[in-house]
Amino acid sequence: MTAVPAVTAARIAVIGGGPGGLYAAVLLKRLAPDREVTVWERNAPDDTFGFGVVLSDETLGGIGSADPDVHAALAREMVRWDAIDVVHRGRTLTCGGHGFAALGRHRLLHLLHERCRALGVTLRFRTPAPPAAELARTHDLVIAADGVNSRTRDAHRAHFRPTVTTHRCRYIWLAADLALDAFRFEIAETPHGVMQLHAYPYSRTAGTVIVEMREEVWRRAGLDRCDEKSALDQCADRFAATLRGSPLRTNHSAWTAFRTVVNAHWSHGNVVLLGDAAHTAHFSIGSGTKLAVEDAVALAAHLDRAPDVPTALAAYEAERRPVVASTQRAARASMEWFENLAVHTGGPPHRFAFDLLTRSRRVTHDNLRLRDAAFVAAVEDEVGVPPGTPPMFTPFRLRGLTLRNRVVVSPMDMYCATDGTPGDFHLVHLGARALGGAGLVMTEMVCVSPTGRITPGCTGMYTPEHERAWARITAFVHDRAPGTALGIQLGHSGRKGSTRLMWEGIDQPLPHGNWPLVAASPLPYRPGVNQTPHALTASGLAEIRQQFVRSAEAAARAGFDLLELHCAHGYLLSGFLSPLTNHRDDAYGGDLAGRLRYPLEVFDAVRAAWPADRPMTVRISATDWAEGGTTADDAVAVARAFAAHGADAIDVSTGQVVPDERPDFGRSYQTPYADRIRKEAGVAVIAVGAISSWDDVNSLILAGRADLCALGRPHLYDPHWTLHAAADQSYTGPGAPWPTPYQAGSRKPPTGRRA
């Protein structure tokens, strides 16, 4: 006879009676009726903050699988709708097909209370829980579901290692007795600044209303000094179009700033964090209760099948952490979009609405078209996208150069040159990508002198041999891939030079044959590893400026269509721009104007040497991802300065300036910087960074966040990425012509057993 294993975690304490804690108690008791499960809630049963709760179909599906009884009770109570209204400057634009379900928070808690009692869970209201450490001695498992202000988390900070970030907007949760039939965003442009309303129904007669604005707008409007009635009256007046005369009401409501909670660890011994205690994600993507309920489902499932509590908690965190991290990235993108709402309001109405709907990068051009094709068609018509043409295949003009589509092959160092001379590898590499359909193909960083190289394998443009080799490549592209533009990126390595090839040790100094380095200031890239550069003197600055000019003149003779000045990633010109790498006390240091001086001098000299009808772009690092470094505000000012001096576009990258950077990686993670520069500086931008799908490119272009999108790794994986993107979208127009010898391959070949 097979022995039945003992129930994992026979005695469980739950701290916090919100939806996550209650649902965890329900599932754990349902899976093992002999378990003793107790919930401590310091407030009364009907005390709660907020009004409505939105749950996705995915979350409801998980609830249905985990506990059909709770799912059935929710299904009977929830209101459903599928439209989003965007109200801005007197117009209401509606986009359908989204699918929402919500109910009142009081009602959700009541249903979970009933289910807990039916299963035999002990509920202790108006009873603060004993400290988690004390409960841990008498229980097999302690679930800390005690919210964003978790006392459990704070009591064990040394282990959980929380990071709590307070953000820039003030908001308040309110409600109104009105029948909404859509998720509604309303924008109010007031004398104090921009305010926004988020509203959605949670019953057939009532809706949640959230009013949000930047901290400085909140103060200028006097809301920091208003009593409750005056604040409600002002909010009701600002958003009269949505409220239609319905008064606003509160429920323990107060103006607050959203805080993002991240923990290095979610469990400590037999104590585990759940929901807002473990993580938060901004309400603009409706995720708080959703994440807590999904946590509960995952925790219960792992406790049900794991041999012991530590194994279950490790598996729970391993499953949930990547899901939560993805949600937090999307929530941060959404939150920052609203924080910078004033930047977005000036666009045409349909594009503004599309920008709002795709702000988190989870909703894209393609799936929005599936939800509401007519809405997307109206956006495309408004911005001049021809019918049947994906936005990425619309042309774009830079000075005298018209690109046939919006795709750029990013500059990618290949480290395959010999004494700076590009060879057959570069001909094949760049030629293949030019044949692959992109509108613009960029070279790697081409160095302006032997000592300006990053590695011995880097290309250059400082000898006649280099010019002849590059001319061979441009001739091939123009002859065999007509319509493809070829751009050269000129740069100088600065303090990041004299290093090994990337695959031999990135940023590691050469084992022998090192050359002396120069930079804005005598600061090594990594102290004790990289050599200390010499700070450039007036003569050195003049010499390097002239090297850039000579390289630009050679690039023009070699036939390049566009020139990009590399002022990013910690190389020489970037080193002047960043306060972390420029410590000069002369005219080329100090404030941003001083730090800009030399890069602008180089730009002006190159622009004068470069043919007037050919465009010039500048690549910048819009943030150093490090304290005290370049900020997003600085980036806008830098972009404005280069645009004023004649830059046709800004190529907006980030980081790689200092080794101790902490980038916030994620899908399209650098595009918000490009978006802000485009809208505030009024200059065309190239967006880069983890843009990998044609759907991303279409979304960014149509939303007006970028004019061009540069992709690197996707073009290493597939040199014909652009042509394949056209084929995937059944596009055969002028934005993506197949080279004549390749036309037989313009359709995806059959797979499997298909004849």
Side-chain angles (χ1 to χ4, degrees):
M1 183 176 179
T2 304
V4 178
V7 172
T8 303
R11 195 160 187 249
I12 298 173
V14 180
I15 304 173
L22 290 170
Y23 195 53
V26 165
L27 296 181
L28 290 166
K29 187 68 172 175
R30 179 177 180 273
L31 289 168
D34 291 340
R35 277 189 177 121
E36 178 187 319
V37 182
T38 304
V39 178
W40 276 267
E41 171 52 56
R42 60 186 304 167
N43 296 310
D46 292 330
D47 284 350
T48 186
F49 300 93
F51 297 91
V53 173
V54 180
L55 296 175
S56 68
D57 288 341
E58 179 185 18
T59 303
L60 289 171
I63 291 173
S65 299
D67 188 341
D69 289 349
V70 169
H71 182 268
L74 292 175
R76 289 192 296 269
E77 304 261 351
M78 299 190 96
V79 293
R80 290 182 173 272
W81 71 97
D82 71 354
I84 296 176
D85 287 345
V86 178
V87 184
H88 178 41
R89 295 183 177 175
R91 294 192 62 174
T92 300
L93 299 178
T94 300
C95 180
H98 295 274
F100 296 101
L103 79 165
R105 189 174 177 87
H106 276 113
R107 189 61 188 145
L108 173 61
L109 293 177
H110 180 70
L111 292 174
L112 292 174
H113 293 162
E114 287 184 341
R115 184 63 174 145
C116 281
R117 292 188 180 100
L119 291 169
V121 173
T122 301
L123 301 176
R124 296 185 177 179
F125 296 108
R126 301 184 181 87
T127 307
E134 180 181 325
L135 290 171
R137 290 193 290 270
T138 56
H139 292 75
D140 301 306
L141 176 66
V142 179
I143 300 172
D146 47 350
V148 65
N149 298 312
S150 171
R151 295 185 176 185
T152 304
R153 185 185 66 228
D154 288 346
H156 301 279
R157 296 182 67 84
H159 185 83
F160 292 123
R161 290 167 46 205
T163 300
V164 180
T165 305
T166 302
H167 299 290
R168 303 171 71 175
C169 283
R170 289 278 182 164
Y171 69 96
I172 189 169
W173 289 86
L174 304 168
D177 295 321
L178 74 166
L180 291 167
D181 59 0
F183 205 124
R184 194 169 178 93
F185 296 100
E186 183 177 343
I187 312 304
E189 294 174 279
T190 79
H192 314 294
V194 180
M195 304 179 183
Q196 62 259 25
L197 172 142
H198 314 242
Y200 58 87
Y202 64 83
S203 76
R204 291 171 180 81
T205 59
T208 292
V209 175
I210 306 168
V211 178
E212 184 185 26
M213 66 203 73
R214 287 279 287 259
E215 171 94 17
E216 59 269 27
V217 176
W218 179 70
R219 293 189 182 279
R220 285 198 296 264
L223 288 165
D224 58 327
R225 303 182 300 277
C226 282
D227 59 26
E228 182 179 279
K229 183 179 184 307
S230 298
L232 295 186
D233 288 346
Q234 184 175 156
C235 290
D237 180 61
R238 295 293 182 196
F239 298 104
T242 291
L243 298 174
R244 302 190 298 273
S246 177
L248 292 168
R249 51 189 170 85
T250 68
N251 175 25
H252 307 294
S253 305
W255 291 100
T256 189
F258 189 82
R259 289 174 292 163
T260 297
V261 174
V262 176
N263 284 278
H265 303 285
W266 290 6
S267 63
H268 177 37
N270 62 343
V271 178
V272 64
L273 303 178
L274 183 145
D276 283 355
H279 45 70
T280 60
H282 193 254
F283 57 81
S284 60
I285 66 168
S287 57
T289 301
K290 172 186 183 299
L291 288 176
V293 168
E294 291 174 349
D295 282 356
V297 171
L299 179 60
H302 287 295
L303 282 164
D304 187 48
R305 55 180 177 253
D308 52 54
V309 168
T311 302
L313 298 188
Y316 155 71
E317 184 170 346
E319 176 187 334
R320 292 295 296 156
R321 185 177 283 280
V323 175
V324 168
S326 175
T327 302
Q328 287 185 315
R329 284 194 295 270
R332 178 169 179 172
S334 175
M335 176 196 67
E336 290 179 346
W337 193 93
F338 282 112
E339 284 184 341
N340 296 300
L341 182 56
V343 172
H344 303 278
T345 55
H350 282 89
R351 172 172 265 185
F352 171 78
F354 182 87
D355 195 10
L356 185 153
L357 294 171
T358 58
R359 66 196 181 279
S360 73
R361 304 194 284 273
R362 285 192 161 183
V363 176
T364 64
H365 172 267
D366 198 44
N367 64 39
L368 201 57
R369 188 175 54 180
L370 290 174
R371 299 175 193 209
D372 192 334
F375 173 83
V376 174
V379 182
E380 293 175 343
D381 180 66
E382 182 180 71
V383 299
V385 176
T389 301
M392 66 185 292
F393 292 118
T394 54
F396 188 72
R397 187 175 181 83
L398 287 169
R399 202 169 284 239
L401 175 67
T402 297
L403 303 175
R404 67 187 176 200
N405 62 52
R406 306 302 185 95
V407 180
V408 179
V409 176
S410 289
M412 293 177 283
D413 288 326
M414 294 289 107
Y415 308 105
C416 291
T418 302
D419 294 328
T421 304
D424 289 347
F425 176 90
H426 297 86
L427 174 66
V428 174
H429 167 68
L430 293 169
R433 275 112 198 123
L435 290 167
L440 173 63
V441 176
M442 293 298 301
T443 69
E444 62 196 85
M445 185 174 94
V446 177
C447 305
V448 297
S449 70
T451 55
R453 291 177 297 166
I454 309 166
T455 76
C458 289
T459 57
M461 184 65 99
Y462 47 84
T463 71
E465 184 181 2
H466 298 161
E467 184 180 328
R468 288 191 294 271
W470 283 119
R472 174 183 177 229
I473 293 169
T474 62
F476 174 87
V477 170
H478 293 151
D479 181 47
R480 292 296 183 175
T484 300
L486 190 62
I488 185 171
Q489 185 188 71
L490 291 183
H492 186 294
S493 60
R495 70 177 189 156
K496 294 179 75 175
S498 191
T499 61
R500 305 179 193 186
L501 305 184
M502 181 181 67
W503 47 85
E504 294 175 352
I506 190 168
D507 295 325
Q508 292 289 327
L510 294 169
H512 50 78
N514 285 280
W515 54 84
L517 302 181
V518 294
S521 299
L523 303 170
Y525 181 62
R526 286 181 301 177
V529 177
N530 301 98
Q531 64 174 284
T532 300
H534 299 285
L536 281 164
T537 62
S539 60
L541 293 170
E543 180 184 358
I544 290 176
R545 183 169 59 246
Q546 193 57 33
Q547 289 170 352
F548 272 97
V549 169
R550 286 195 294 266
S551 294
E553 291 170 341
R557 292 191 298 269
F560 283 99
D561 303 293
L562 175 148
L563 187 150
E564 179 165 282
L565 189 64
H566 201 335
C567 297
H569 300 168
Y571 299 122
L572 180 68
L573 299 181
S574 170
F576 276 86
L577 291 172
S578 173
L580 296 178
T581 51
N582 184 341
H583 293 182
R584 300 175 73 100
D585 58 8
D586 62 3
Y588 295 103
D591 62 9
L592 183 57
R595 301 196 306 274
L596 262 164
R597 190 180 308 276
Y598 185 63
L600 287 175
E601 287 181 358
V602 173
F603 178 90
D604 289 342
V606 171
R607 180 66 270 183
W610 185 243
D613 63 331
R614 298 189 209 178
M616 256 187 83
T617 64
V618 179
R619 173 167 277 206
I620 67 170
S621 286
T623 176
D624 293 340
W625 300 114
E627 187 175 352
T630 297
T631 67
D633 290 341
D634 293 336
V636 172
V638 168
R640 280 200 183 106
F642 279 115
H645 282 244
D648 298 289
I650 305 299
D651 188 354
V652 187
S653 187
T654 64
Q656 302 179 54
V657 174
V658 292
D660 56 344
E661 65 177 5
R662 299 186 65 183
D664 188 14
F665 288 120
R667 180 164 147 247
S668 306
Y669 71 105
Q670 296 177 139
T671 57
Y673 296 94
D675 186 9
R676 184 175 172 193
I677 286 171
R678 184 180 187 272
K679 292 186 171 87
E680 289 194 35
V683 61
V685 297
I686 305 170
V688 307
I691 303 169
S692 57
S693 74
W694 49 259
D695 196 15
D696 286 338
V697 177
N698 284 329
S699 301
L700 294 170
I701 298 302
L702 190 58
R705 296 188 194 119
D707 299 287
L708 300 166
C709 291
L711 299 89
R713 289 179 177 86
H715 282 113
L716 294 179
Y717 180 77
D718 179 5
H720 293 84
W721 184 91
T722 306
L723 293 178
H724 292 155
D728 287 346
Q729 297 173 82
S730 302
Y731 173 73
T732 58
W738 282 73
T740 302
Y742 286 0
Q743 285 182 353
S746 61
R747 292 184 180 181
K748 189 174 291 188
T751 58
R753 294 178 176 271
R754 293 172 58 195

